[in-house]
Amino acid sequence: MAAAEGSGAGGAAKPLFAGLSDVSISEDIPVEGEITVPVGSCSPDEDYSTLDEPVRDTIMRDLKAVGKKFVHVMYPKKSSALLRDWDLWGPLVLCVSLALMLQGGSADSKEDGGPQFAEVFVIIWFGAVVITLNSKLLGGTISFFQSLCVLGYCVLPLTVAMLVCRLVLLAGSGTVSFIVRLIVVMAMFAWSTLASTAFLADSQPPNRKALVIYPIFLFYFVISWMILTFTAQ
Amino acid sequence: MAASDQLRFHEFDEAADLLAATPDATTTSVSERQSHVALDVGSSYDENEEGDESDKTELLSGQKQPPSFWTFEYYQAFFDVDTYQVLDRIKGSLLPLPGKNFVRHYLRNNPDLYGPFWICTTLVFTLAISGNLSNFLEKHGNTSFRYSPQFHKVTIAGVAIYCYAGLVPLALWGYLQWRKGVCLNVASYTLLETVCVYGYSLSVYIPASVLWLIPVSWLQWLLIATAMTLSGSVLVLTFWPLIRLDSRAATLAVLTIVLALHALLAVGCKLYFFQKPLHDYPPPFLKDGSQGFKQQLRHLLWEHGTDSEEQDPGARWSLCQGMTGLCEAISQLPKPVQMDAPSHPL
């Protein structure tokens, strides 16, 4: 600026703009601002915030994110997508559907039956919170909601197992159906535990990994037990 | 000479000033010993990053405050254990040796809350699941039996176990603190160490509750006796050095109450979650002709009771027991009576 003014003042006697070619801005003067003009933003109607987009787009974007995470759970590789963009929609949907399918159960007396909706809900969420606190207290580097997200999404195989169990129970409730249900629930329990371990194990200190994995094992074991002992009315 | 004297005097002054300024520098290193030890022993350095940073700030500022009750770091100190340490402590509680005081030998000033909390949680679910399974196995052949998951047992087991593992150590610690004030020979552990001992002593009940599934009555009671002996001896061995210098009556009273509560927990769990098996397989050293008669009678009484509209299985069972006892007395007569199914209700 100073250099330009100086040469401009000095060039007042010369023809107009003669010294402009000599103008240069020294390196240490900060020049800020955009010199490119954004194309096509002349009218305010085309300034899309997510407030103006169709509702369908908003919903589909979130649904796609949730669906992508479901795929990550079913094929657990060491990808960080589940951890990076955590969300709790998936766990909520899974927990509610599992609790709806599990509630009630047969009972001779009112209290002798299966877990109620609130009990399943509390077990899943409170259990996930306790496991997350446990891993953080042991020195894990994962954040609170990331861990909740992973634990909630890894309930997906067990929800699938619950669906299969209900379908098998429609067919009959003898020994064969019990064996089928047992195999399915055990396979899905192993899948859940391995999937959540694959995502969570890296963030734990190496000599405490077993201390963190055991509660996750217990958590999915209890959910599997609730699924296995479900008897239709 | 005067200059060097002055220099010497100033150095001494500065050292004194430093000591006066940070009087607790040495004491904090002793009290925070456990966190320092944890960082040194066998841990990788990218692990406790927060610990490393706080260490550096300690060195820089020259003084450290213990983390406040409301911060997360305060509770992290209670989880400062590695896998092998937890396994070691569980082994020590399963096999108590007379020379090894649990608190001194295994805890070593590093009590943790991980072990007690997760052992209690595992015990709660193991009890509920085993109880449900034993109920199922017992009534399996009964045609009017419909399986139910009995989920309320989880709640009851949880309340019982957590209350025991939380309130009894608190009471014992409170008593020892009071006694320490009254009688100078009594020492005390910290509250956390007491809770830790009680938590780890419950670990023997986990395999016991799984083995209680075997529907053999004398084996179940043998298991109870073994489990109670093992976990009771852990408690006694731990607290004996504290109170043995106290008056005889007080020592005996404390030990009796500790063991009695422990026994109450074990027997209560066994009776509530695991009903008495229907078919009494007699112990191998007692083969009696009257056993078969008792079995048949009990089975008949139970079957008959199931057909009725009665809602209280407990009363029905005690009625069965009463009748069976009466019939047992009768069976002491020289000639045992063979019974067929009664043609009319009893």
Side-chain angles (χ1 to χ4, degrees):
Chain A
M1 291 291 191
E5 282 174 7
S7 58
K14 298 182 196 160
L16 211 55
F17 304 128
L20 269 180
S21 56
D22 297 337
V23 168
S24 69
I25 299 177
S26 60
E27 295 288 330
D28 55 342
I29 297 174
V31 176
E32 295 178 22
E34 263 189 308
I35 53 174
T36 58
V37 177
V39 178
S41 74
C42 35
S43 65
D45 290 342
E46 296 175 0
D47 187 17
Y48 269 10
S49 64
T50 56
L51 202 58
D52 290 331
E53 65 183 2
V55 174
R56 192 183 122 90
D57 279 355
T58 315
I59 294 179
M60 287 311 292
R61 184 173 49 237
D62 279 337
L63 278 181
K64 274 194 202 128
V66 169
K68 205 159 46 155
K69 291 204 192 68
F70 279 165
V71 170
H72 277 298
V73 169
M74 295 311 276
Y75 299 103
K77 305 182 300 256
K78 281 219 181 1
S79 79
S80 59
L82 209 70
L83 292 180
R84 220 181 24 235
D85 326 308
W86 59 267
D87 73 89
L88 292 178
W89 283 114
L92 180 68
V93 163
L94 287 172
C95 178
V96 166
S97 55
L98 191 60
L100 278 175
M101 285 193 280
L102 266 177
Q103 71 169 341
S106 69
D108 284 331
S109 69
K110 206 167 279 178
E111 47 166 39
D112 217 21
Q116 301 301 314
F117 181 91
E119 285 170 336
V120 179
F121 208 80
V122 161
I123 280 188
I124 293 182
W125 283 105
F126 193 63
V129 165
V130 164
I131 292 176
T132 307
L133 279 178
N134 175 66
S135 84
K136 281 187 78 67
L137 282 168
L138 282 171
T141 53
I142 201 170
S143 96
F144 183 76
F145 286 108
Q146 279 173 351
S147 174
L148 275 188
C149 169
V150 168
L151 287 169
Y153 270 104
C154 290
V155 173
L156 175 67
L158 288 170
T159 314
V160 168
M162 184 70 213
L163 268 171
V164 170
C165 281
R166 281 208 91 138
L167 291 173
V168 168
L169 275 174
L170 282 177
S173 57
T175 316
V176 173
S177 93
F178 175 73
I179 292 182
V180 168
R181 280 184 291 142
L182 180 68
I183 294 177
V184 166
V185 168
M186 270 173 37
M188 292 299 163
F189 159 64
W191 200 333
S192 279
T193 313
L194 287 174
S196 62
T197 309
F199 288 117
L200 287 178
D202 282 339
S203 60
Q204 307 305 324
N207 48 345
R208 296 180 182 182
K209 275 205 172 60
L211 294 184
V212 173
I213 290 175
Y214 171 71
I216 299 178
F217 170 87
L218 187 64
F219 175 62
Y220 289 124
F221 182 78
V222 168
I223 299 181
S224 313
W225 174 257
M226 288 197 293
I227 292 175
L228 189 59
T229 60
F230 175 77
T231 51
Q233 264 165 345
Chain B
M1 272 303 166
S4 61
D5 278 341
Q6 267 190 334
L7 280 172
R8 230 177 288 138
F9 177 76
H10 277 302
E11 279 173 7
F12 182 75
D13 216 13
E14 274 171 12
D17 279 342
L18 273 174
L19 280 173
T22 59
D24 53 345
T26 50
T27 54
T28 49
S29 69
V30 167
S31 67
E32 294 306 314
R33 179 170 44 99
Q34 61 190 30
S35 63
H36 286 265
V37 167
L39 282 172
D40 289 337
V41 174
S43 53
S44 62
Y45 282 99
D46 52 345
E47 145 194 354
N48 256 328
E49 290 164 355
E50 308 156 314
D52 280 334
E53 283 166 7
S54 68
D55 239 10
K56 284 178 201 148
T57 53
E58 286 165 35
L59 290 171
L60 288 174
S61 66
Q63 53 178 312
K64 178 171 191 293
Q65 290 163 354
S68 133
F69 182 70
W70 302 108
T71 63
F72 195 67
E73 284 75 26
Y74 180 80
Y75 298 100
Q76 256 184 336
F78 301 151
F79 282 77
D80 206 6
V81 277
D82 293 335
T83 311
Y84 74 93
Q85 280 175 321
V86 172
L87 290 175
D88 222 13
R89 291 172 188 190
I90 293 178
K91 257 193 302 207
S93 70
L94 287 177
L95 303 165
L97 298 171
K100 297 188 175 174
N101 184 345
F102 188 81
V103 172
R104 296 280 165 248
H105 190 78
Y106 290 102
L107 292 189
R108 288 182 201 253
N109 286 339
N110 190 17
D112 67 304
L113 275 182
Y114 176 90
F117 179 73
W118 286 109
I119 289 176
C120 289
T121 312
T122 311
L123 186 60
V124 164
F125 286 113
T126 317
L127 275 177
I129 291 177
S130 297
N132 192 226
L133 269 179
S134 87
N135 187 35
F136 169 73
L137 286 175
E138 180 191 328
K139 301 197 180 144
H140 184 53
N142 196 345
T143 48
S144 64
F145 167 71
R146 279 179 75 207
Y147 171 74
S148 66
Q150 291 177 317
F151 200 72
H152 66 286
K153 288 199 168 173
V154 172
T155 323
I156 294 177
V159 168
I161 301 285
Y162 280 120
C163 279
Y164 179 80
L167 296 179
V168 174
L170 186 67
L172 186 62
W173 174 78
Y175 168 78
L176 283 175
Q177 291 289 86
W178 169 73
R179 203 68 190 157
K180 202 163 65 166
V182 168
C183 160
L184 288 170
N185 286 331
V186 172
S188 167
Y189 300 126
T190 66
L191 177 60
L192 199 57
E193 286 168 343
T194 323
V195 170
C196 207
V197 170
Y198 262 88
Y200 277 106
S201 74
L202 288 177
S203 66
V204 76
Y205 288 122
I206 296 177
S209 67
V210 173
L211 287 174
W212 275 337
L213 276 175
I214 305 174
V216 178
S217 184
W218 60 267
L219 182 64
Q220 288 183 343
W221 289 106
L222 183 66
L223 277 171
I224 281 196
T226 318
M228 265 169 38
T229 316
L230 283 175
S231 72
S233 58
V234 169
L235 291 176
V236 165
L237 283 172
T238 308
F239 289 105
W240 175 249
L242 295 184
I243 55 176
R244 75 188 146 105
L245 295 175
D246 203 356
S247 75
R248 236 197 133 108
T251 316
L252 275 178
V254 169
L255 284 178
T256 315
I257 291 180
V258 162
L259 287 175
L261 283 172
H262 217 64
L264 196 64
L265 179 79
V267 173
C269 282
K270 198 276 178 194
L271 286 179
Y272 181 74
F273 291 103
F274 301 88
Q275 282 127 7
K276 205 159 153 41
L278 198 55
H279 301 292
D280 258 341
Y281 299 102
F285 48 87
L286 262 186
K287 286 256 185 264
D288 216 4
S290 63
Q291 291 287 343
F293 159 70
K294 269 201 315 192
Q295 271 183 44
Q296 281 187 8
L297 182 62
R298 200 175 295 158
H299 194 72
L300 289 167
L301 287 169
W302 184 257
E303 287 286 351
H304 172 71
T306 322
D307 293 336
S308 69
E309 290 300 311
E310 203 180 332
Q311 290 297 324
D312 191 355
R316 197 161 73 228
W317 183 251
S318 46
L319 179 63
C320 282
Q321 291 284 69
M323 298 284 288
T324 316
L326 182 62
C327 298
E328 192 179 340
I330 297 174
S331 75
Q332 297 300 325
L333 298 175
K335 198 169 176 206
V337 178
Q338 285 290 12
M339 271 187 67
D340 295 325
S343 55
H344 57 88
L346 280 165

